[in-house]
Amino acid sequence: MLTKNQIYETVITDYTAEGQGIAHIEGCAVFIPNAIAGEKVRVRIEKAAKSWASGKIVELLEKSPHRRSRECPVAKLCGGCDFWHMDYEEETRLKADRVRQCLNRIGGEALEKVPILAAPTCRGYRNKAQYPVAFKNGRACAGFFRAGTHDVVENERCLILPVETDRVKDAVIDYVNQFHVSVYDEQTHRGLLRHIYVRRGAESGQILVCLVVNGRELPKPDALLGRLKQVPGFTTLVLSVNTKKGNAVLGDEFITLYGPGYIEDTLCGLVFRLSPRSFYQVNHHQAQRLYRAAISQAEITKNDTVLDLYCGVGTITLAMAGAAGRVIGVEVIPQAVEDARDNARRNGIENAEFFCGDAGQAALQLEKEGVRPDVVLVDPPRKGLNADTIEALSRFAPRRIVYVSCDPATLARDVALLKERGYRLQNAQAADLFPRCAHVETVVLLSKGEIDSKNIRVEFSLEDMDMSEFQDGATYPQIKAYVLEHTGLKVSSLYISQVKRNCGLEVGKNYNLPKSEDSRQAPTCPPEKENAIREALQYFGMI
Ligand code: SAH
């Protein structure tokens, strides 16, 4: 175990999923923010557990050629971005490598390299911002949270946002200060304004302003509108009523104060209606490249029925419609499904249908009704596919599965499950939709190779299927790989079984007992590993 406050000399070897540097000192994984692979550093240990620690650079002994001085003045404080201390080349390299490592470690592949679609610019790309509002030093201000806290860091100009978005923030704050509009306080649950939410159509330039309020009305709305109308592109003002405690930004009720309550934007040549709640990728240019990559992987023909699971407002579904015979989108949020249907109408698309429901259950229902998609595209949230969806994919046996993912770890887990059902990974491509931030998108193609699934359809029954991995959730190697990937910790099967048991989960026979006969002698899982394993179990939907 390393000693707190002690200084060690070490070399950064890799990065965590959150973009921190990793070094190994005396067998212990040390997480070091703002460090770049290859750098030699002196690091002060700030937190030390048995097999991991975190520390801060006190001296940079050998600088990476990729190190850059930060263009953003608040980059070190603000929890929004992760990579202003390095050049974009290193950022894209590490993102592509993270995807490769996940697919290899968790997905069982042996890829040497995964290509990445790098963004042409790191600036002004984000078409959505959610500024938390705070009252500090006698005045209201807005910015972004300091990493891991709810302390608002003010930033006059956020480099990844368009200028107009910051102008909206300034207009709202000016109005709030002039008319002494109260600011929400999390501790007392009092005060009105909670968040300033701004969405700007990258092609249309239209701006939707949504103020999240702990109430139902704004004082002097005309004074606010007067200010907002001076921002080019301002189109609509909506109130989101959120009177609940907690971290959810948007409330359930929306009151339109000005304009239509939504904006429009063009994506892949189609027009989309965007309400505050609709999912819409934040990087327009890169989203189009990602979608085009996904659609070209699908190799759709005019005879094909294509299923798009987790379709949001129908962006990818409608972009595929022109090439296909029939497209079917499935989405769980009713408002998004309404938007998707409306989007189909406004683009004159007649071969698209949308269903509201859980992707897996809806897919199984479609299968019962005799729908046989030739190609399935999935674009799930971070937690990946659930067991129903994997089961439905297996029953449909589509010619191709195109998987768009915002989390390489769950993608890799699902790739492994689909491989057990006869699919092969044919192609993997990363895409950078979040320059300067640690998230990365991936699109992979899975197919059954030479077998023409249109001609060979095997009827499965539930009894025939080996469902064991679903009962048990992720396998032990998958849990180990996930923990290593996210925390740098190595955990034993024994520890995993202990934590599973503590969580009330079934534990496989082999793992039920420690190797030692006398379980009192068996080591117990240390708390930091227990936390890491619990996180993995949550991630895999097991708890
Ligand atoms: N493909 C779309 C949306 C992707 S985001 C696009 O690129 O614009 C993922 C979407 O999955 C969100 O719209 C979310 O509401 C939806 N979703 C989340 N859980 C779901 C579930 N269990 N079943 C169906 N859709 C779900």
Side-chain angles (χ1 to χ4, degrees):
M1 185 159 154
L2 303 181
T3 314
K4 197 176 161 180
N5 287 326
Q6 188 150 329
I7 292 176
Y8 297 84
E9 205 176 290
T10 188
V11 174
I12 310 300
T13 52
D14 206 349
Y15 299 93
T16 65
E18 291 74 32
Q20 299 192 350
I22 305 178
H24 289 93
I25 308 174
E26 296 170 14
C28 195
V30 185
F31 309 124
I32 308 168
N34 301 312
I36 303 177
E39 287 186 331
K40 197 170 180 191
V41 297
R42 276 157 64 76
V43 58
R44 175 184 288 115
I45 300 300
E46 300 208 308
K47 209 169 165 192
K50 213 167 172 188
S51 55
W52 69 273
S54 61
K56 260 198 176 157
I57 298 179
V58 288
E59 194 184 348
L60 205 48
L61 299 171
E62 273 169 37
K63 232 188 202 181
S64 162
H66 297 290
R67 187 165 277 281
R68 291 290 176 271
S69 59
R70 296 176 177 78
E71 290 167 67
C72 171
V74 298
K76 258 187 146 171
L77 292 178
C78 174
C81 295
D82 305 289
F83 294 135
W84 283 106
H85 59 289
M86 64 175 69
D87 64 15
Y88 188 53
E89 187 189 339
E90 175 66 358
E91 178 182 334
T92 46
R93 186 199 66 77
L94 80 86
K95 286 177 174 174
D97 200 53
R98 178 163 135 68
V99 173
R100 184 189 66 85
Q101 285 188 30
C102 285
L103 286 171
N104 288 355
R105 283 185 193 159
I106 307 173
E109 293 293 320
L111 306 173
E112 279 181 13
K113 200 168 183 226
V114 170
I116 183 161
L117 290 169
T121 176
C122 295
R123 287 173 172 261
Y125 68 82
R126 248 195 103 90
N127 60 29
K128 187 179 102 174
Q130 292 180 152
Y131 304 93
V133 182
F135 196 75
K136 276 178 144 181
N137 307 322
R139 52 180 274 279
C141 64
F144 295 104
F145 288 138
R146 188 190 292 263
T149 73
H150 275 196
D151 179 24
V152 171
V153 176
E154 259 190 281
N155 186 5
E156 209 177 298
R157 179 75 195 96
C158 174
L159 297 181
I160 62 171
L161 292 175
V163 177
E164 293 83 353
T165 307
D166 272 340
R167 282 190 61 186
V168 167
K169 170 202 65 174
D170 294 341
V172 175
I173 290 298
D174 184 54
Y175 148 83
V176 168
N177 280 322
Q178 179 156 0
F179 295 97
H180 304 290
V181 178
S182 62
V183 170
Y184 180 71
D185 180 335
E186 280 178 345
Q187 306 302 321
T188 60
H189 191 52
R190 294 170 85 160
L192 186 65
L193 185 59
R194 298 175 75 137
H195 273 85
I196 305 168
Y197 169 116
V198 189
R199 178 170 252 169
R200 179 178 180 273
E203 282 199 25
S204 68
Q206 293 180 8
I207 293 177
L208 174 147
V209 180
C210 173
L211 297 187
V212 184
V213 287
N214 177 30
R216 304 181 53 84
E217 282 178 6
L218 275 187
K220 303 234 190 283
D222 288 342
L224 173 62
L225 278 170
R227 284 166 170 77
L228 290 176
K229 283 178 185 166
Q230 296 185 12
V231 181
F234 168 68
T235 304
T236 187
L237 173 64
V238 180
L239 283 189
S240 166
V241 179
N242 183 359
T243 53
K244 290 190 185 146
K245 290 184 180 166
N247 291 340
V249 174
L250 294 177
D252 296 326
E253 191 190 345
F254 294 89
I255 303 170
T256 303
L257 296 186
Y258 176 82
Y262 58 83
I263 54 166
E264 288 183 339
D265 197 28
T266 308
L267 186 83
C268 296
L270 302 167
V271 179
F272 290 93
R273 179 177 91 172
L274 306 169
S275 321
R277 267 223 180 279
S278 329
F279 177 89
Y280 193 58
Q281 284 286 9
V282 297
N283 187 331
H284 183 267
H285 178 83
Q286 289 294 93
Q288 293 194 129
R289 294 179 75 197
L290 174 75
Y291 294 167
R292 289 194 181 118
I295 294 168
S296 86
Q297 297 285 317
E299 285 196 358
I300 302 163
T301 71
K302 276 281 177 199
N303 296 325
D304 285 340
T305 295
V306 181
L307 183 61
D308 180 14
L309 299 176
Y310 309 89
C311 70
V313 297
T315 40
I316 307 181
T317 333
L318 297 176
M320 293 189 293
R326 177 186 183 198
V327 287
I328 305 168
V330 175
E331 161 63 45
V332 79
I333 295 184
Q335 175 67 43
V337 175
E338 269 174 44
D339 282 351
R341 290 184 182 136
D342 183 80
N343 289 329
R345 268 192 301 275
R346 71 177 56 208
N347 289 289
I349 293 172
E350 287 175 352
N351 61 342
E353 297 149 71
F354 292 94
F355 292 91
C356 188
D358 167 71
Q361 282 167 19
L364 288 172
Q365 184 59 34
L366 287 168
E367 198 253 351
K368 266 196 205 142
E369 289 166 14
V371 174
R372 293 286 179 271
D374 303 280
V375 174
V376 180
L377 187 140
V378 296
D379 183 7
R382 294 182 67 84
K383 62 176 189 272
L385 304 179
N386 58 24
D388 278 348
T389 311
I390 298 269
E391 153 80 352
L393 286 174
S394 172
R395 285 166 168 253
F396 281 139
R399 188 174 74 230
R400 287 176 172 227
I401 298 173
V402 177
Y403 193 139
V404 179
S405 157
C406 53
D407 188 321
T410 51
L411 166 72
R413 174 203 65 193
D414 294 341
V415 163
L417 291 174
L418 290 166
K419 276 163 55 172
E420 286 167 19
R421 285 157 182 75
Y423 282 89
R424 291 285 157 265
L425 183 85
Q426 307 291 359
N427 192 51
Q429 160 94 64
D432 187 21
L433 273 68
F434 309 98
R436 311 280 81 181
C437 306
H439 292 295
V440 59
E441 293 272 328
T442 311
V443 52
V444 304
L445 168 67
L446 294 135
S447 76
K448 291 204 165 180
E450 312 77 48
I451 303 170
D452 181 359
S453 54
K454 262 196 137 156
N455 299 327
I456 309 170
R457 273 195 198 281
V458 185
E459 290 299 322
F460 285 99
S461 84
L462 265 180
E463 289 81 64
D464 297 335
M465 299 231 357
D466 176 11
M467 296 293 282
S468 51
E469 75 266 48
F470 288 132
Q471 279 151 20
D472 292 346
T475 61
Y476 280 68
Q478 286 170 333
I479 294 170
K480 287 179 189 179
Y482 178 91
V483 171
L484 185 68
E485 148 77 10
H486 281 77
T487 62
L489 297 175
K490 287 195 172 151
V491 291
S492 64
S493 300
L494 174 67
Y495 286 167
I496 297 175
S497 68
Q498 285 173 357
V499 177
K500 280 178 83 172
R501 221 175 294 124
N502 289 347
C503 295
L505 293 174
E506 284 279 317
V507 178
K509 237 197 273 150
N510 299 341
Y511 300 118
N512 234 344
L513 285 170
K515 283 195 193 97
S516 141
E517 284 294 293
D518 183 350
S519 60
R520 277 169 306 175
Q521 281 171 14
T524 38
C525 184
E528 77 272 11
K529 289 197 177 179
E530 168 142 11
N531 284 341
I533 294 167
R534 276 178 188 267
E535 225 170 76
L537 298 180
Q538 253 172 12
Y539 201 63
F540 288 112
M542 295 161 73
I543 55 172

